[in-house]
PDB file of all heavy atoms in Angstrom:
ATOM      1  N   ALA A 326       0.220  25.649  -2.178  1.00 94.00           N
ATOM      2  CA  ALA A 326       0.953  24.537  -2.783  1.00 94.00           C
ATOM      3  C   ALA A 326       0.466  24.295  -4.213  1.00 94.00           C
ATOM      4  O   ALA A 326      -0.722  24.421  -4.502  1.00 94.00           O
ATOM      5  CB  ALA A 326       0.778  23.274  -1.950  1.00 94.00           C
ATOM      6  N   PRO A 327       1.371  23.943  -5.126  1.00 94.00           N
ATOM      7  CA  PRO A 327       0.963  23.629  -6.499  1.00 94.00           C
ATOM      8  C   PRO A 327       0.048  22.404  -6.518  1.00 94.00           C
ATOM      9  O   PRO A 327      -0.012  21.640  -5.548  1.00 94.00           O
ATOM     10  CB  PRO A 327       2.283  23.322  -7.213  1.00 94.00           C
ATOM     11  CG  PRO A 327       3.346  23.903  -6.345  1.00 94.00           C
ATOM     12  CD  PRO A 327       2.832  23.835  -4.949  1.00 94.00           C
ATOM     13  N   PRO A 328      -0.666  22.188  -7.620  1.00 95.00           N
ATOM     14  CA  PRO A 328      -1.547  21.023  -7.704  1.00 95.00           C
ATOM     15  C   PRO A 328      -0.776  19.720  -7.523  1.00 95.00           C
ATOM     16  O   PRO A 328       0.366  19.591  -7.956  1.00 95.00           O
ATOM     17  CB  PRO A 328      -2.136  21.116  -9.122  1.00 95.00           C
ATOM     18  CG  PRO A 328      -1.988  22.546  -9.503  1.00 95.00           C
ATOM     19  CD  PRO A 328      -0.739  23.024  -8.826  1.00 95.00           C
ATOM     20  N   LEU A 329      -1.401  18.766  -6.894  1.00 96.00           N
ATOM     21  CA  LEU A 329      -0.801  17.457  -6.666  1.00 96.00           C
ATOM     22  C   LEU A 329      -0.833  16.636  -7.950  1.00 96.00           C
ATOM     23  O   LEU A 329      -1.875  16.518  -8.591  1.00 96.00           O
ATOM     24  CB  LEU A 329      -1.568  16.726  -5.563  1.00 96.00           C
ATOM     25  CG  LEU A 329      -1.078  15.328  -5.184  1.00 96.00           C
ATOM     26  CD1 LEU A 329       0.300  15.411  -4.533  1.00 96.00           C
ATOM     27  CD2 LEU A 329      -2.077  14.657  -4.243  1.00 96.00           C
ATOM     28  N   ARG A 330       0.323  16.092  -8.344  1.00 95.00           N
ATOM     29  CA  ARG A 330       0.394  15.193  -9.490  1.00 95.00           C
ATOM     30  C   ARG A 330       0.135  13.770  -9.003  1.00 95.00           C
ATOM     31  O   ARG A 330       0.786  13.316  -8.064  1.00 95.00           O
ATOM     32  CB  ARG A 330       1.763  15.264 -10.154  1.00 95.00           C
ATOM     33  CG  ARG A 330       2.146  16.668 -10.572  1.00 95.00           C
ATOM     34  CD  ARG A 330       1.273  17.178 -11.684  1.00 95.00           C
ATOM     35  NE  ARG A 330       1.409  18.626 -11.818  1.00 95.00           N
ATOM     36  CZ  ARG A 330       0.708  19.348 -12.664  1.00 95.00           C
ATOM     37  NH1 ARG A 330      -0.161  18.769 -13.468  1.00 95.00           N
ATOM     38  NH2 ARG A 330       0.865  20.651 -12.731  1.00 95.00           N
ATOM     39  N   ARG A 331      -0.770  13.066  -9.644  1.00 97.00           N
ATOM     40  CA  ARG A 331      -1.208  11.759  -9.173  1.00 97.00           C
ATOM     41  C   ARG A 331      -0.708  10.653 -10.106  1.00 97.00           C
ATOM     42  O   ARG A 331      -1.078  10.618 -11.285  1.00 97.00           O
ATOM     43  CB  ARG A 331      -2.725  11.705  -9.112  1.00 97.00           C
ATOM     44  CG  ARG A 331      -3.365  12.776  -8.245  1.00 97.00           C
ATOM     45  CD  ARG A 331      -4.867  12.650  -8.372  1.00 97.00           C
ATOM     46  NE  ARG A 331      -5.602  13.526  -7.482  1.00 97.00           N
ATOM     47  CZ  ARG A 331      -6.860  13.300  -7.112  1.00 97.00           C
ATOM     48  NH1 ARG A 331      -7.507  12.243  -7.580  1.00 97.00           N
ATOM     49  NH2 ARG A 331      -7.481  14.117  -6.291  1.00 97.00           N
ATOM     50  N   LEU A 332       0.097   9.759  -9.571  1.00 97.00           N
ATOM     51  CA  LEU A 332       0.611   8.627 -10.338  1.00 97.00           C
ATOM     52  C   LEU A 332      -0.047   7.339  -9.863  1.00 97.00           C
ATOM     53  O   LEU A 332      -0.013   7.023  -8.675  1.00 97.00           O
ATOM     54  CB  LEU A 332       2.134   8.506 -10.160  1.00 97.00           C
ATOM     55  CG  LEU A 332       3.013   9.543 -10.841  1.00 97.00           C
ATOM     56  CD1 LEU A 332       4.481   9.275 -10.510  1.00 97.00           C
ATOM     57  CD2 LEU A 332       2.796   9.524 -12.336  1.00 97.00           C
ATOM     58  N   GLY A 333      -0.635   6.597 -10.783  1.00 97.00           N
ATOM     59  CA  GLY A 333      -1.194   5.290 -10.478  1.00 97.00           C
ATOM     60  C   GLY A 333      -0.236   4.205 -10.946  1.00 97.00           C
ATOM     61  O   GLY A 333       0.297   4.280 -12.055  1.00 97.00           O
ATOM     62  N   VAL A 334      -0.023   3.194 -10.113  1.00 98.00           N
ATOM     63  CA  VAL A 334       0.944   2.144 -10.417  1.00 98.00           C
ATOM     64  C   VAL A 334       0.199   0.840 -10.692  1.00 98.00           C
ATOM     65  O   VAL A 334      -0.703   0.447  -9.947  1.00 98.00           O
ATOM     66  CB  VAL A 334       1.943   1.940  -9.259  1.00 98.00           C
ATOM     67  CG1 VAL A 334       3.038   0.961  -9.660  1.00 98.00           C
ATOM     68  CG2 VAL A 334       2.548   3.279  -8.840  1.00 98.00           C
ATOM     69  N   LEU A 335       0.595   0.166 -11.767  1.00 98.00           N
ATOM     70  CA  LEU A 335       0.036  -1.131 -12.145  1.00 98.00           C
ATOM     71  C   LEU A 335       1.156  -2.047 -12.609  1.00 98.00           C
ATOM     72  O   LEU A 335       2.105  -1.602 -13.264  1.00 98.00           O
ATOM     73  CB  LEU A 335      -0.980  -0.985 -13.280  1.00 98.00           C
ATOM     74  CG  LEU A 335      -2.352  -0.406 -12.930  1.00 98.00           C
ATOM     75  CD1 LEU A 335      -3.101  -0.058 -14.218  1.00 98.00           C
ATOM     76  CD2 LEU A 335      -3.161  -1.381 -12.089  1.00 98.00           C
ATOM     77  N   ARG A 336       1.036  -3.324 -12.305  1.00 97.00           N
ATOM     78  CA  ARG A 336       1.955  -4.302 -12.873  1.00 97.00           C
ATOM     79  C   ARG A 336       1.540  -4.625 -14.309  1.00 97.00           C
ATOM     80  O   ARG A 336       0.384  -4.444 -14.701  1.00 97.00           O
ATOM     81  CB  ARG A 336       1.904  -5.606 -12.087  1.00 97.00           C
ATOM     82  CG  ARG A 336       2.623  -5.593 -10.759  1.00 97.00           C
ATOM     83  CD  ARG A 336       2.833  -7.025 -10.312  1.00 97.00           C
ATOM     84  NE  ARG A 336       3.382  -7.104  -8.961  1.00 97.00           N
ATOM     85  CZ  ARG A 336       4.166  -8.079  -8.545  1.00 97.00           C
ATOM     86  NH1 ARG A 336       4.500  -9.061  -9.367  1.00 97.00           N
ATOM     87  NH2 ARG A 336       4.615  -8.111  -7.303  1.00 97.00           N
ATOM     88  N   ALA A 337       2.491  -5.171 -15.070  1.00 97.00           N
ATOM     89  CA  ALA A 337       2.186  -5.650 -16.419  1.00 97.00           C
ATOM     90  C   ALA A 337       1.385  -6.948 -16.379  1.00 97.00           C
ATOM     91  O   ALA A 337       0.860  -7.394 -17.397  1.00 97.00           O
ATOM     92  CB  ALA A 337       3.472  -5.866 -17.215  1.00 97.00           C
ATOM     93  N   HIS A 338       1.295  -7.536 -15.197  1.00 97.00           N
ATOM     94  CA  HIS A 338       0.442  -8.716 -14.994  1.00 97.00           C
ATOM     95  C   HIS A 338      -0.226  -8.563 -13.642  1.00 97.00           C
ATOM     96  O   HIS A 338       0.183  -7.756 -12.810  1.00 97.00           O
ATOM     97  CB  HIS A 338       1.273 -10.009 -15.041  1.00 97.00           C
ATOM     98  CG  HIS A 338       2.280 -10.129 -13.935  1.00 97.00           C
ATOM     99  ND1 HIS A 338       1.992 -10.677 -12.696  1.00 97.00           N
ATOM    100  CD2 HIS A 338       3.583  -9.741 -13.858  1.00 97.00           C
ATOM    101  CE1 HIS A 338       3.064 -10.641 -11.932  1.00 97.00           C
ATOM    102  NE2 HIS A 338       4.043 -10.071 -12.610  1.00 97.00           N
TER     103      HIS A 338
END
Side-chain angles (χ1 to χ4, degrees):
L329 180 67
R330 304 293 165 184
R331 303 176 174 202
L332 288 178
V334 187
L335 285 168
R336 284 197 187 210
H338 64 88

